[in-house]
Amino acid sequence: MSDYLDPNNEELLKDFFMEAELQVDTFEQNILVLENEPNNKEAVDEIFRAAHTLKGAAGTVQMDELAHFTHLCEDALDEIRAGNVEVTAEVVDVILEAIDVIKAMLEARTNGEVYSEDTSVLAGKLEEFINGKK
């Protein structure tokens, strides 16, 4: 592994946080579009790509809690993309809540901590979308 890819490398972490901020912005902008236009496929695709990119980047810097949670979001979004989950006010609310958790996870890491709040209820809601129960 190159020195750059060392998860303790300050330059890598700086790049990660800049990229993460961009992905969260993309997430937020497109969920607002989706709130007003539930059938907007482009917005769903953009949100999915943001989650996918953030998941991969978090894995690279060994932020496992973020990678795991974002993977759940990505899987739920994939069900929306596939047409298996309809975009409703409840779905938008769950995604907005997920964005808040992602932001809190990033903030904790920025402060040198690991997010330790219980996400099981929200994870359960995302898993319901994944398992086709919504």
Side-chain angles (χ1 to χ4, degrees), residues 2-51:
S2 79
D3 290 341
Y4 180 77
L5 292 179
D6 177 352
N8 297 312
N9 179 304
E10 286 186 37
E11 185 179 344
L12 174 63
L13 290 174
K14 186 175 106 178
D15 290 349
F16 166 78
F17 285 116
M18 284 177 26
E19 179 66 27
E21 186 176 325
L22 290 172
Q23 298 312 321
V24 168
D25 286 348
T26 297
F27 228 120
E28 289 180 319
Q29 290 168 9
N30 284 285
I31 194 63
L32 295 176
V33 170
L34 211 52
E35 195 170 29
N36 295 313
E37 301 173 40
N39 296 319
N40 188 316
K41 290 271 194 203
E42 281 184 36
V44 173
D45 287 344
E46 287 296 318
I47 296 167
F48 175 84
R49 279 193 288 276

Side-chain angles (χ1 to χ4, degrees), residues 23-127:
Q23 298 312 321
V24 168
D25 286 348
T26 297
F27 228 120
E28 289 180 319
Q29 290 168 9
N30 284 285
I31 194 63
L32 295 176
V33 170
L34 211 52
E35 195 170 29
N36 295 313
E37 301 173 40
N39 296 319
N40 188 316
K41 290 271 194 203
E42 281 184 36
V44 173
D45 287 344
E46 287 296 318
I47 296 167
F48 175 84
R49 279 193 288 276
H52 179 75
T53 300
L54 186 55
K55 176 197 74 174
T60 299
V61 293
Q62 297 177 359
M63 294 184 186
D64 297 334
E65 76 289 352
L66 179 59
H68 174 73
F69 185 78
T70 308
H71 188 245
L72 275 176
C73 295
E74 178 187 28
D75 286 351
L77 290 161
D78 200 30
E79 291 300 312
I80 294 170
R81 287 175 72 200
N84 299 329
V85 174
E86 181 182 348
V87 177
T88 63
E90 179 188 4
V91 169
V92 169
D93 287 346
V94 169
I95 295 171
L96 285 169
E97 193 176 342
I99 292 169
D100 288 343
V101 169
I102 289 168
K103 288 164 63 174
M105 287 178 170
L106 287 166
E107 183 177 343
R109 286 296 188 152
T110 300
N111 295 327
E113 301 166 2
V114 177
Y115 184 82
S116 60
E117 298 292 319
D118 182 15
T119 60
S120 61
V121 172
L122 180 56
K125 291 177 185 176
L126 291 166
E127 287 170 356

